[in-house]
Amino acid sequence: AKASGLGRAHYYTAEVGIVTRERTRLLHGLQQAFDRESLFLVYQPQLALAQDRVIGAEALLRWRTDDGRFVSPAEFIPVAEQSGLIVPIGHWVLRTALQALARLRAQQDGLRMAVNVSPLQFAQPQFLAQVDQALHDAGLPPSCLELEITESVAVMGMERVSALLHQIKARGIAVAIDDFGTGFSSLSYLDRLPADRLKIDRAFVSALDSGDTTARIAEMIVPLGHRLGMQVLAEGVETPAQAQALRQLGCDEVQGYLYGKPMPLDGFADWLAQRET
Ligand code: C2E
Ligand code: CA
Ligand code: CA
Ligand code: CA
């Protein structure tokens, strides 16, 4: 029994070793990509559901490797987060997305930009000053920026999170709770996060036209968000049936392939122009 126990220990060690090498390789590649400016942003439209009107976009990070392959942010964001590289990358995302918004607002007045903020970035003492500077440099009012955070910001302590969110709100910057219902979160956080918008995760939205009981969750998030004074945005909307179900639920806003995929800035501008005519 002792021998097999040791054997198992070796096995696990080897596994961890492989995972670590893989992560190191990924991190090295990401660092280089950031240095060589081969990271870029794409923008996915967000619409008011009842009015079918474009209200803004979410900025999403992309990494194209030298051999033309795309690495999914789901793969590299966790690595960037663990290494701390997400802090300079996140700062760049914020500045780039706001510059893009300045251009898009010349085309359609009042558009806003939603930017993902990782918990580590959010916890930086200089975060708010960087946001202020980025808005100032892009010549934009605070009200056109929305910061998307997840419930995992709670790791920095709810006292600090609450204080920071109040400062953000005082400036007129909007806050969205992303991926709601997918983490190991507790509903008790929700009324302590003064947010403007609740985003229903794609996992719940895709259940809406499947007859799956998971659909009940999406159905409950809409009134929950409204009761807490938030707008509710459904993400990952892919079918007209899902849109119809969301309309009946009174969901406020939508985002998903049914309306538009994430697009480079030029593509987004063209897409917007097409809709206007
Ligand atoms: P997220 O914030 O939940 O972003 C939504 C994801 O759903 C995006 O994946 C988007 O491309 C995808 N999506 C949108 N509509 C549809 C649809 O109709 N169908 C399907 N199947 N997918 C749809 P993406 O771009 O791969 O991003 C994955 C995650 O990476 C994001 O999830 C976000 O958590 C993270 N991420 C992306 N960009 C950034 C960033 O700049 N900073 C940080 N911290 N995280 C980012
Ligand atoms: Ca997001
Ligand atoms: Ca999300
Ligand atoms: Ca997600």
PDB file of all heavy atoms in Angstrom, residues 41 44 58-62 72-74 77 81 86 93 115-118 121 148 178-179 199 201-202 235-238 255-258 260 262, ligand 1:
ATOM      1  N   LEU A  41      -8.300  44.144 -29.970  1.00  0.00           N
ATOM      2  CA  LEU A  41      -9.651  44.093 -29.423  1.00  0.00           C
ATOM      3  C   LEU A  41     -10.675  43.914 -30.529  1.00  0.00           C
ATOM      4  O   LEU A  41     -10.497  44.408 -31.646  1.00  0.00           O
ATOM      5  CB  LEU A  41      -9.976  45.386 -28.659  1.00  0.00           C
ATOM      6  CG  LEU A  41      -9.172  45.644 -27.384  1.00  0.00           C
ATOM      7  CD1 LEU A  41      -9.615  46.953 -26.733  1.00  0.00           C
ATOM      8  CD2 LEU A  41      -9.317  44.486 -26.394  1.00  0.00           C
ATOM      9  N   GLN A  44     -18.307  43.691 -29.612  1.00  0.00           N
ATOM     10  CA  GLN A  44     -19.587  43.018 -29.875  1.00  0.00           C
ATOM     11  C   GLN A  44     -20.739  43.932 -29.488  1.00  0.00           C
ATOM     12  O   GLN A  44     -20.771  44.477 -28.378  1.00  0.00           O
ATOM     13  CB  GLN A  44     -19.681  41.708 -29.082  1.00  0.00           C
ATOM     14  CG  GLN A  44     -20.948  40.930 -29.436  1.00  0.00           C
ATOM     15  CD  GLN A  44     -21.007  39.556 -28.775  1.00  0.00           C
ATOM     16  OE1 GLN A  44     -20.539  39.361 -27.664  1.00  0.00           O
ATOM     17  NE2 GLN A  44     -21.611  38.603 -29.482  1.00  0.00           N
ATOM     18  N   GLU A  58     -19.299  45.608 -26.197  1.00  0.00           N
ATOM     19  CA  GLU A  58     -18.361  45.061 -25.207  1.00  0.00           C
ATOM     20  C   GLU A  58     -17.039  44.822 -25.911  1.00  0.00           C
ATOM     21  O   GLU A  58     -16.998  44.229 -26.992  1.00  0.00           O
ATOM     22  CB  GLU A  58     -18.881  43.748 -24.610  1.00  0.00           C
ATOM     23  CG  GLU A  58     -17.858  43.124 -23.642  1.00  0.00           C
ATOM     24  CD  GLU A  58     -18.307  41.811 -22.993  1.00  0.00           C
ATOM     25  OE1 GLU A  58     -19.398  41.305 -23.336  1.00  0.00           O
ATOM     26  OE2 GLU A  58     -17.546  41.295 -22.158  1.00  0.00           O
ATOM     27  N   ALA A  59     -15.951  45.284 -25.295  1.00  0.00           N
ATOM     28  CA  ALA A  59     -14.613  45.055 -25.849  1.00  0.00           C
ATOM     29  C   ALA A  59     -14.120  43.683 -25.399  1.00  0.00           C
ATOM     30  O   ALA A  59     -14.192  43.353 -24.215  1.00  0.00           O
ATOM     31  CB  ALA A  59     -13.660  46.139 -25.345  1.00  0.00           C
ATOM     32  N   LEU A  60     -13.653  42.875 -26.349  1.00  0.00           N
ATOM     33  CA  LEU A  60     -13.150  41.525 -26.045  1.00  0.00           C
ATOM     34  C   LEU A  60     -11.750  41.366 -26.619  1.00  0.00           C
ATOM     35  O   LEU A  60     -11.484  41.739 -27.767  1.00  0.00           O
ATOM     36  CB  LEU A  60     -14.102  40.473 -26.608  1.00  0.00           C
ATOM     37  CG  LEU A  60     -15.475  40.419 -25.913  1.00  0.00           C
ATOM     38  CD1 LEU A  60     -16.525  39.798 -26.822  1.00  0.00           C
ATOM     39  CD2 LEU A  60     -15.395  39.684 -24.579  1.00  0.00           C
ATOM     40  N   LEU A  61     -10.887  40.803 -25.820  1.00  0.00           N
ATOM     41  CA  LEU A  61      -9.471  40.695 -26.169  1.00  0.00           C
ATOM     42  C   LEU A  61      -9.216  39.507 -27.093  1.00  0.00           C
ATOM     43  O   LEU A  61      -9.802  38.451 -26.921  1.00  0.00           O
ATOM     44  CB  LEU A  61      -8.688  40.535 -24.864  1.00  0.00           C
ATOM     45  CG  LEU A  61      -7.177  40.683 -24.852  1.00  0.00           C
ATOM     46  CD1 LEU A  61      -6.737  42.013 -25.433  1.00  0.00           C
ATOM     47  CD2 LEU A  61      -6.681  40.541 -23.410  1.00  0.00           C
ATOM     48  N   ARG A  62      -8.322  39.701 -28.056  1.00  0.00           N
ATOM     49  CA  ARG A  62      -7.933  38.621 -28.976  1.00  0.00           C
ATOM     50  C   ARG A  62      -6.416  38.536 -29.073  1.00  0.00           C
ATOM     51  O   ARG A  62      -5.732  39.557 -29.021  1.00  0.00           O
ATOM     52  CB  ARG A  62      -8.498  38.892 -30.386  1.00  0.00           C
ATOM     53  CG  ARG A  62     -10.012  38.760 -30.486  1.00  0.00           C
ATOM     54  CD  ARG A  62     -10.453  37.328 -30.312  1.00  0.00           C
ATOM     55  NE  ARG A  62     -11.898  37.178 -30.307  1.00  0.00           N
ATOM     56  CZ  ARG A  62     -12.647  37.147 -29.203  1.00  0.00           C
ATOM     57  NH1 ARG A  62     -12.093  37.292 -28.020  1.00  0.00           N
ATOM     58  NH2 ARG A  62     -13.941  36.967 -29.285  1.00  0.00           N
ATOM     59  N   SER A  72      -7.822  31.364 -27.362  1.00  0.00           N
ATOM     60  CA  SER A  72      -9.035  31.864 -26.730  1.00  0.00           C
ATOM     61  C   SER A  72      -8.707  32.600 -25.429  1.00  0.00           C
ATOM     62  O   SER A  72      -7.869  32.153 -24.648  1.00  0.00           O
ATOM     63  CB  SER A  72      -9.965  30.694 -26.432  1.00  0.00           C
ATOM     64  OG  SER A  72     -10.901  31.068 -25.447  1.00  0.00           O
ATOM     65  N   PRO A  73      -9.384  33.733 -25.190  1.00  0.00           N
ATOM     66  CA  PRO A  73      -9.172  34.422 -23.908  1.00  0.00           C
ATOM     67  C   PRO A  73      -9.513  33.524 -22.719  1.00  0.00           C
ATOM     68  O   PRO A  73      -8.912  33.666 -21.656  1.00  0.00           O
ATOM     69  CB  PRO A  73     -10.097  35.639 -23.973  1.00  0.00           C
ATOM     70  CG  PRO A  73     -10.899  35.502 -25.200  1.00  0.00           C
ATOM     71  CD  PRO A  73     -10.313  34.451 -26.059  1.00  0.00           C
ATOM     72  N   ALA A  74     -10.437  32.600 -22.927  1.00  0.00           N
ATOM     73  CA  ALA A  74     -10.765  31.676 -21.830  1.00  0.00           C
ATOM     74  C   ALA A  74      -9.514  30.900 -21.409  1.00  0.00           C
ATOM     75  O   ALA A  74      -9.382  30.475 -20.269  1.00  0.00           O
ATOM     76  CB  ALA A  74     -11.868  30.721 -22.263  1.00  0.00           C
ATOM     77  N   ILE A  77      -6.529  34.327 -20.378  1.00  0.00           N
ATOM     78  CA  ILE A  77      -6.847  35.275 -19.298  1.00  0.00           C
ATOM     79  C   ILE A  77      -6.478  34.704 -17.922  1.00  0.00           C
ATOM     80  O   ILE A  77      -5.854  35.405 -17.117  1.00  0.00           O
ATOM     81  CB  ILE A  77      -8.333  35.735 -19.339  1.00  0.00           C
ATOM     82  CG1 ILE A  77      -8.631  36.557 -20.596  1.00  0.00           C
ATOM     83  CG2 ILE A  77      -8.698  36.533 -18.080  1.00  0.00           C
ATOM     84  CD1 ILE A  77      -8.092  37.962 -20.632  1.00  0.00           C
ATOM     85  N   GLU A  81      -3.877  36.450 -15.469  1.00  0.00           N
ATOM     86  CA  GLU A  81      -4.350  36.789 -14.130  1.00  0.00           C
ATOM     87  C   GLU A  81      -3.374  36.278 -13.065  1.00  0.00           C
ATOM     88  O   GLU A  81      -2.964  37.014 -12.170  1.00  0.00           O
ATOM     89  CB  GLU A  81      -5.717  36.131 -13.952  1.00  0.00           C
ATOM     90  CG  GLU A  81      -6.382  36.347 -12.636  1.00  0.00           C
ATOM     91  CD  GLU A  81      -7.558  37.272 -12.766  1.00  0.00           C
ATOM     92  OE1 GLU A  81      -8.085  37.446 -13.878  1.00  0.00           O
ATOM     93  OE2 GLU A  81      -7.946  37.823 -11.744  1.00  0.00           O
ATOM     94  N   ILE A  86      -2.118  40.571 -16.389  1.00  0.00           N
ATOM     95  CA  ILE A  86      -3.440  41.124 -16.696  1.00  0.00           C
ATOM     96  C   ILE A  86      -3.524  42.609 -16.321  1.00  0.00           C
ATOM     97  O   ILE A  86      -4.324  43.350 -16.888  1.00  0.00           O
ATOM     98  CB  ILE A  86      -4.565  40.321 -15.976  1.00  0.00           C
ATOM     99  CG1 ILE A  86      -5.946  40.652 -16.555  1.00  0.00           C
ATOM    100  CG2 ILE A  86      -4.567  40.570 -14.471  1.00  0.00           C
ATOM    101  CD1 ILE A  86      -6.167  40.225 -17.972  1.00  0.00           C
ATOM    102  N   VAL A  93      -6.238  47.580 -22.547  1.00  0.00           N
ATOM    103  CA  VAL A  93      -7.593  47.304 -23.052  1.00  0.00           C
ATOM    104  C   VAL A  93      -8.505  48.508 -22.798  1.00  0.00           C
ATOM    105  O   VAL A  93      -9.215  48.970 -23.697  1.00  0.00           O
ATOM    106  CB  VAL A  93      -8.198  46.031 -22.390  1.00  0.00           C
ATOM    107  CG1 VAL A  93      -9.695  45.916 -22.686  1.00  0.00           C
ATOM    108  CG2 VAL A  93      -7.467  44.767 -22.852  1.00  0.00           C
ATOM    109  N   VAL A 115     -16.178  47.247 -20.663  1.00  0.00           N
ATOM    110  CA  VAL A 115     -14.813  46.716 -20.605  1.00  0.00           C
ATOM    111  C   VAL A 115     -14.713  45.720 -19.444  1.00  0.00           C
ATOM    112  O   VAL A 115     -15.153  46.019 -18.332  1.00  0.00           O
ATOM    113  CB  VAL A 115     -13.798  47.873 -20.404  1.00  0.00           C
ATOM    114  CG1 VAL A 115     -12.388  47.350 -20.246  1.00  0.00           C
ATOM    115  CG2 VAL A 115     -13.872  48.862 -21.579  1.00  0.00           C
ATOM    116  N   ASN A 116     -14.158  44.537 -19.744  1.00  0.00           N
ATOM    117  CA  ASN A 116     -13.968  43.528 -18.698  1.00  0.00           C
ATOM    118  C   ASN A 116     -12.810  43.927 -17.793  1.00  0.00           C
ATOM    119  O   ASN A 116     -11.742  44.300 -18.272  1.00  0.00           O
ATOM    120  CB  ASN A 116     -13.669  42.168 -19.324  1.00  0.00           C
ATOM    121  CG  ASN A 116     -14.868  41.621 -20.074  1.00  0.00           C
ATOM    122  OD1 ASN A 116     -15.832  41.152 -19.462  1.00  0.00           O
ATOM    123  ND2 ASN A 116     -14.831  41.705 -21.403  1.00  0.00           N
ATOM    124  N   VAL A 117     -13.035  43.825 -16.498  1.00  0.00           N
ATOM    125  CA  VAL A 117     -11.990  44.152 -15.538  1.00  0.00           C
ATOM    126  C   VAL A 117     -11.751  42.935 -14.642  1.00  0.00           C
ATOM    127  O   VAL A 117     -12.678  42.437 -14.009  1.00  0.00           O
ATOM    128  CB  VAL A 117     -12.393  45.364 -14.667  1.00  0.00           C
ATOM    129  CG1 VAL A 117     -11.313  45.672 -13.649  1.00  0.00           C
ATOM    130  CG2 VAL A 117     -12.668  46.582 -15.545  1.00  0.00           C
ATOM    131  N   SER A 118     -10.515  42.469 -14.632  1.00  0.00           N
ATOM    132  CA  SER A 118     -10.217  41.291 -13.820  1.00  0.00           C
ATOM    133  C   SER A 118     -10.071  41.698 -12.355  1.00  0.00           C
ATOM    134  O   SER A 118      -9.739  42.855 -12.052  1.00  0.00           O
ATOM    135  CB  SER A 118      -8.959  40.600 -14.335  1.00  0.00           C
ATOM    136  OG  SER A 118      -7.853  41.019 -13.593  1.00  0.00           O
ATOM    137  N   GLN A 121      -6.820  43.462 -11.410  1.00  0.00           N
ATOM    138  CA  GLN A 121      -6.754  44.822 -11.947  1.00  0.00           C
ATOM    139  C   GLN A 121      -7.596  45.770 -11.095  1.00  0.00           C
ATOM    140  O   GLN A 121      -7.174  46.878 -10.763  1.00  0.00           O
ATOM    141  CB  GLN A 121      -7.262  44.791 -13.392  1.00  0.00           C
ATOM    142  CG  GLN A 121      -7.094  46.071 -14.162  1.00  0.00           C
ATOM    143  CD  GLN A 121      -7.835  46.017 -15.501  1.00  0.00           C
ATOM    144  OE1 GLN A 121      -8.421  44.995 -15.868  1.00  0.00           O
ATOM    145  NE2 GLN A 121      -7.815  47.116 -16.218  1.00  0.00           N
ATOM    146  N   GLU A 148     -17.184  45.818 -16.441  1.00  0.00           N
ATOM    147  CA  GLU A 148     -17.773  44.501 -16.177  1.00  0.00           C
ATOM    148  C   GLU A 148     -16.905  43.772 -15.163  1.00  0.00           C
ATOM    149  O   GLU A 148     -15.731  43.497 -15.420  1.00  0.00           O
ATOM    150  CB  GLU A 148     -17.870  43.670 -17.467  1.00  0.00           C
ATOM    151  CG  GLU A 148     -18.836  44.255 -18.465  1.00  0.00           C
ATOM    152  CD  GLU A 148     -19.285  43.239 -19.532  1.00  0.00           C
ATOM    153  OE1 GLU A 148     -18.860  42.065 -19.463  1.00  0.00           O
ATOM    154  OE2 GLU A 148     -20.050  43.639 -20.417  1.00  0.00           O
ATOM    155  N   ASP A 178     -20.912  40.512 -14.347  1.00  0.00           N
ATOM    156  CA  ASP A 178     -20.778  39.590 -15.486  1.00  0.00           C
ATOM    157  C   ASP A 178     -20.964  38.145 -15.027  1.00  0.00           C
ATOM    158  O   ASP A 178     -20.711  37.825 -13.867  1.00  0.00           O
ATOM    159  CB  ASP A 178     -19.358  39.766 -16.057  1.00  0.00           C
ATOM    160  CG  ASP A 178     -19.234  39.294 -17.485  1.00  0.00           C
ATOM    161  OD1 ASP A 178     -20.228  38.826 -18.065  1.00  0.00           O
ATOM    162  OD2 ASP A 178     -18.114  39.408 -18.030  1.00  0.00           O
ATOM    163  N   ASP A 179     -21.368  37.294 -15.952  1.00  0.00           N
ATOM    164  CA  ASP A 179     -21.431  35.839 -15.702  1.00  0.00           C
ATOM    165  C   ASP A 179     -22.233  35.499 -14.462  1.00  0.00           C
ATOM    166  O   ASP A 179     -21.894  34.557 -13.736  1.00  0.00           O
ATOM    167  CB  ASP A 179     -20.019  35.252 -15.528  1.00  0.00           C
ATOM    168  CG  ASP A 179     -19.168  35.435 -16.771  1.00  0.00           C
ATOM    169  OD1 ASP A 179     -19.743  35.747 -17.826  1.00  0.00           O
ATOM    170  OD2 ASP A 179     -17.945  35.270 -16.677  1.00  0.00           O
ATOM    171  N   LYS A 199     -25.656  40.750 -15.966  1.00  0.00           N
ATOM    172  CA  LYS A 199     -25.545  40.028 -17.232  1.00  0.00           C
ATOM    173  C   LYS A 199     -25.852  38.548 -17.007  1.00  0.00           C
ATOM    174  O   LYS A 199     -25.181  37.883 -16.212  1.00  0.00           O
ATOM    175  CB  LYS A 199     -24.130  40.179 -17.817  1.00  0.00           C
ATOM    176  CG  LYS A 199     -23.802  41.611 -18.224  1.00  0.00           C
ATOM    177  CD  LYS A 199     -22.516  41.686 -19.052  1.00  0.00           C
ATOM    178  CE  LYS A 199     -22.732  41.315 -20.508  1.00  0.00           C
ATOM    179  NZ  LYS A 199     -21.496  41.534 -21.326  1.00  0.00           N
ATOM    180  N   ASP A 201     -25.581  34.884 -17.910  1.00  0.00           N
ATOM    181  CA  ASP A 201     -24.602  34.105 -18.657  1.00  0.00           C
ATOM    182  C   ASP A 201     -25.272  33.313 -19.784  1.00  0.00           C
ATOM    183  O   ASP A 201     -26.412  32.874 -19.688  1.00  0.00           O
ATOM    184  CB  ASP A 201     -23.874  33.156 -17.713  1.00  0.00           C
ATOM    185  CG  ASP A 201     -22.646  32.561 -18.372  1.00  0.00           C
ATOM    186  OD1 ASP A 201     -21.646  33.280 -18.499  1.00  0.00           O
ATOM    187  OD2 ASP A 201     -22.702  31.389 -18.787  1.00  0.00           O
ATOM    188  N   ARG A 202     -24.493  33.134 -20.838  1.00  0.00           N
ATOM    189  CA  ARG A 202     -24.911  32.365 -22.011  1.00  0.00           C
ATOM    190  C   ARG A 202     -25.450  30.977 -21.652  1.00  0.00           C
ATOM    191  O   ARG A 202     -26.361  30.469 -22.308  1.00  0.00           O
ATOM    192  CB  ARG A 202     -23.704  32.251 -22.942  1.00  0.00           C
ATOM    193  CG  ARG A 202     -23.855  31.380 -24.137  1.00  0.00           C
ATOM    194  CD  ARG A 202     -22.834  31.768 -25.184  1.00  0.00           C
ATOM    195  NE  ARG A 202     -21.457  31.585 -24.743  1.00  0.00           N
ATOM    196  CZ  ARG A 202     -20.786  30.424 -24.874  1.00  0.00           C
ATOM    197  NH1 ARG A 202     -21.363  29.396 -25.430  1.00  0.00           N
ATOM    198  NH2 ARG A 202     -19.545  30.328 -24.471  1.00  0.00           N
ATOM    199  N   GLU A 235     -26.631  37.576 -22.411  1.00  0.00           N
ATOM    200  CA  GLU A 235     -25.555  37.414 -23.388  1.00  0.00           C
ATOM    201  C   GLU A 235     -25.602  36.043 -24.041  1.00  0.00           C
ATOM    202  O   GLU A 235     -26.213  35.114 -23.543  1.00  0.00           O
ATOM    203  CB  GLU A 235     -24.194  37.711 -22.770  1.00  0.00           C
ATOM    204  CG  GLU A 235     -23.757  36.802 -21.672  1.00  0.00           C
ATOM    205  CD  GLU A 235     -22.400  37.229 -21.098  1.00  0.00           C
ATOM    206  OE1 GLU A 235     -21.773  38.169 -21.608  1.00  0.00           O
ATOM    207  OE2 GLU A 235     -21.981  36.593 -20.131  1.00  0.00           O
ATOM    208  N   GLY A 236     -24.988  35.961 -25.219  1.00  0.00           N
ATOM    209  CA  GLY A 236     -24.974  34.687 -25.939  1.00  0.00           C
ATOM    210  C   GLY A 236     -26.309  34.353 -26.580  1.00  0.00           C
ATOM    211  O   GLY A 236     -26.640  33.181 -26.754  1.00  0.00           O
ATOM    212  N   VAL A 237     -27.078  35.388 -26.967  1.00  0.00           N
ATOM    213  CA  VAL A 237     -28.357  35.150 -27.637  1.00  0.00           C
ATOM    214  C   VAL A 237     -28.070  34.736 -29.077  1.00  0.00           C
ATOM    215  O   VAL A 237     -27.445  35.482 -29.832  1.00  0.00           O
ATOM    216  CB  VAL A 237     -29.256  36.403 -27.605  1.00  0.00           C
ATOM    217  CG1 VAL A 237     -30.596  36.107 -28.271  1.00  0.00           C
ATOM    218  CG2 VAL A 237     -29.460  36.880 -26.177  1.00  0.00           C
ATOM    219  N   GLU A 238     -28.509  33.544 -29.442  1.00  0.00           N
ATOM    220  CA  GLU A 238     -28.181  32.995 -30.769  1.00  0.00           C
ATOM    221  C   GLU A 238     -29.390  32.754 -31.650  1.00  0.00           C
ATOM    222  O   GLU A 238     -29.254  32.637 -32.864  1.00  0.00           O
ATOM    223  CB  GLU A 238     -27.403  31.678 -30.612  1.00  0.00           C
ATOM    224  CG  GLU A 238     -26.005  31.863 -30.011  1.00  0.00           C
ATOM    225  CD  GLU A 238     -25.228  30.564 -29.897  1.00  0.00           C
ATOM    226  OE1 GLU A 238     -25.835  29.483 -30.038  1.00  0.00           O
ATOM    227  OE2 GLU A 238     -24.000  30.639 -29.656  1.00  0.00           O
ATOM    228  N   GLN A 255     -27.159  40.660 -26.212  1.00  0.00           N
ATOM    229  CA  GLN A 255     -25.863  40.612 -26.876  1.00  0.00           C
ATOM    230  C   GLN A 255     -25.719  39.172 -27.344  1.00  0.00           C
ATOM    231  O   GLN A 255     -26.063  38.241 -26.615  1.00  0.00           O
ATOM    232  CB  GLN A 255     -24.800  40.954 -25.825  1.00  0.00           C
ATOM    233  CG  GLN A 255     -23.372  40.931 -26.287  1.00  0.00           C
ATOM    234  CD  GLN A 255     -22.407  41.291 -25.134  1.00  0.00           C
ATOM    235  OE1 GLN A 255     -22.815  41.744 -24.068  1.00  0.00           O
ATOM    236  NE2 GLN A 255     -21.128  41.063 -25.353  1.00  0.00           N
ATOM    237  N   GLY A 256     -25.236  38.960 -28.561  1.00  0.00           N
ATOM    238  CA  GLY A 256     -25.064  37.583 -29.023  1.00  0.00           C
ATOM    239  C   GLY A 256     -24.957  37.506 -30.533  1.00  0.00           C
ATOM    240  O   GLY A 256     -25.176  38.502 -31.233  1.00  0.00           O
ATOM    241  N   TYR A 257     -24.605  36.324 -31.011  1.00  0.00           N
ATOM    242  CA  TYR A 257     -24.389  36.124 -32.438  1.00  0.00           C
ATOM    243  C   TYR A 257     -25.624  36.468 -33.273  1.00  0.00           C
ATOM    244  O   TYR A 257     -25.500  36.831 -34.445  1.00  0.00           O
ATOM    245  CB  TYR A 257     -23.961  34.682 -32.720  1.00  0.00           C
ATOM    246  CG  TYR A 257     -22.622  34.284 -32.137  1.00  0.00           C
ATOM    247  CD1 TYR A 257     -22.206  32.949 -32.156  1.00  0.00           C
ATOM    248  CD2 TYR A 257     -21.758  35.228 -31.584  1.00  0.00           C
ATOM    249  CE1 TYR A 257     -20.977  32.565 -31.628  1.00  0.00           C
ATOM    250  CE2 TYR A 257     -20.532  34.855 -31.052  1.00  0.00           C
ATOM    251  CZ  TYR A 257     -20.145  33.523 -31.078  1.00  0.00           C
ATOM    252  OH  TYR A 257     -18.941  33.141 -30.557  1.00  0.00           O
ATOM    253  N   LEU A 258     -26.824  36.336 -32.691  1.00  0.00           N
ATOM    254  CA  LEU A 258     -28.045  36.675 -33.426  1.00  0.00           C
ATOM    255  C   LEU A 258     -27.997  38.125 -33.911  1.00  0.00           C
ATOM    256  O   LEU A 258     -28.507  38.448 -34.983  1.00  0.00           O
ATOM    257  CB  LEU A 258     -29.273  36.458 -32.528  1.00  0.00           C
ATOM    258  CG  LEU A 258     -30.638  36.795 -33.132  1.00  0.00           C
ATOM    259  CD1 LEU A 258     -30.965  35.894 -34.329  1.00  0.00           C
ATOM    260  CD2 LEU A 258     -31.755  36.672 -32.091  1.00  0.00           C
ATOM    261  N   GLY A 260     -24.918  40.302 -33.586  1.00  0.00           N
ATOM    262  CA  GLY A 260     -23.606  40.597 -34.148  1.00  0.00           C
ATOM    263  C   GLY A 260     -22.514  39.858 -33.400  1.00  0.00           C
ATOM    264  O   GLY A 260     -22.570  39.741 -32.176  1.00  0.00           O
ATOM    265  N   PRO A 262     -18.462  39.463 -32.246  1.00  0.00           N
ATOM    266  CA  PRO A 262     -17.407  40.440 -31.946  1.00  0.00           C
ATOM    267  C   PRO A 262     -16.642  40.785 -33.231  1.00  0.00           C
ATOM    268  O   PRO A 262     -16.277  39.891 -33.990  1.00  0.00           O
ATOM    269  CB  PRO A 262     -16.508  39.688 -30.948  1.00  0.00           C
ATOM    270  CG  PRO A 262     -17.386  38.633 -30.340  1.00  0.00           C
ATOM    271  CD  PRO A 262     -18.307  38.232 -31.452  1.00  0.00           C
TER     272      PRO A 262
HETATM  273  P1  C2E B   1     -17.371  37.126 -21.236  1.00  0.00           P
HETATM  274  O1  C2E B   1     -17.022  38.465 -20.673  1.00  0.00           O
HETATM  275  O2  C2E B   1     -18.510  36.398 -20.611  1.00  0.00           O
HETATM  276  O3  C2E B   1     -17.595  37.387 -22.783  1.00  0.00           O
HETATM  277  C1  C2E B   1     -18.601  36.767 -23.526  1.00  0.00           C
HETATM  278  C2  C2E B   1     -18.033  35.662 -24.365  1.00  0.00           C
HETATM  279  O4  C2E B   1     -19.086  35.033 -25.110  1.00  0.00           O
HETATM  280  C3  C2E B   1     -17.036  36.129 -25.413  1.00  0.00           C
HETATM  281  O5  C2E B   1     -16.091  35.070 -25.574  1.00  0.00           O
HETATM  282  C4  C2E B   1     -17.892  36.246 -26.668  1.00  0.00           C
HETATM  283  O6  C2E B   1     -17.137  36.194 -27.860  1.00  0.00           O
HETATM  284  C5  C2E B   1     -18.797  35.069 -26.498  1.00  0.00           C
HETATM  285  N1  C2E B   1     -20.088  35.199 -27.195  1.00  0.00           N
HETATM  286  C6  C2E B   1     -20.785  36.325 -27.396  1.00  0.00           C
HETATM  287  N2  C2E B   1     -21.942  36.072 -28.023  1.00  0.00           N
HETATM  288  C7  C2E B   1     -21.982  34.735 -28.222  1.00  0.00           C
HETATM  289  C8  C2E B   1     -22.960  33.850 -28.822  1.00  0.00           C
HETATM  290  O7  C2E B   1     -24.035  34.257 -29.290  1.00  0.00           O
HETATM  291  N3  C2E B   1     -22.655  32.538 -28.835  1.00  0.00           N
HETATM  292  C9  C2E B   1     -21.497  32.048 -28.318  1.00  0.00           C
HETATM  293  N4  C2E B   1     -21.282  30.724 -28.416  1.00  0.00           N
HETATM  294  N5  C2E B   1     -20.573  32.845 -27.737  1.00  0.00           N
HETATM  295  C10 C2E B   1     -20.812  34.175 -27.683  1.00  0.00           C
HETATM  296  P2  C2E B   1     -14.556  35.419 -25.655  1.00  0.00           P
HETATM  297  O8  C2E B   1     -14.379  36.648 -26.488  1.00  0.00           O
HETATM  298  O9  C2E B   1     -13.890  34.150 -26.053  1.00  0.00           O
HETATM  299  O10 C2E B   1     -14.167  35.803 -24.183  1.00  0.00           O
HETATM  300  C11 C2E B   1     -14.141  34.830 -23.164  1.00  0.00           C
HETATM  301  C12 C2E B   1     -13.918  35.466 -21.810  1.00  0.00           C
HETATM  302  O11 C2E B   1     -12.609  36.020 -21.718  1.00  0.00           O
HETATM  303  C13 C2E B   1     -14.851  36.636 -21.527  1.00  0.00           C
HETATM  304  O12 C2E B   1     -16.096  36.151 -21.162  1.00  0.00           O
HETATM  305  C14 C2E B   1     -14.099  37.333 -20.429  1.00  0.00           C
HETATM  306  O13 C2E B   1     -14.343  36.693 -19.184  1.00  0.00           O
HETATM  307  C15 C2E B   1     -12.650  37.105 -20.816  1.00  0.00           C
HETATM  308  N6  C2E B   1     -12.138  38.316 -21.475  1.00  0.00           N
HETATM  309  C16 C2E B   1     -12.220  38.679 -22.776  1.00  0.00           C
HETATM  310  N7  C2E B   1     -11.626  39.878 -22.985  1.00  0.00           N
HETATM  311  C17 C2E B   1     -11.161  40.282 -21.773  1.00  0.00           C
HETATM  312  C18 C2E B   1     -10.457  41.456 -21.309  1.00  0.00           C
HETATM  313  O14 C2E B   1     -10.150  42.400 -22.055  1.00  0.00           O
HETATM  314  N8  C2E B   1     -10.142  41.503 -19.973  1.00  0.00           N
HETATM  315  C19 C2E B   1     -10.483  40.504 -19.113  1.00  0.00           C
HETATM  316  N9  C2E B   1     -10.147  40.627 -17.823  1.00  0.00           N
HETATM  317  N10 C2E B   1     -11.172  39.410 -19.502  1.00  0.00           N
HETATM  318  C20 C2E B   1     -11.492  39.297 -20.812  1.00  0.00           C
END
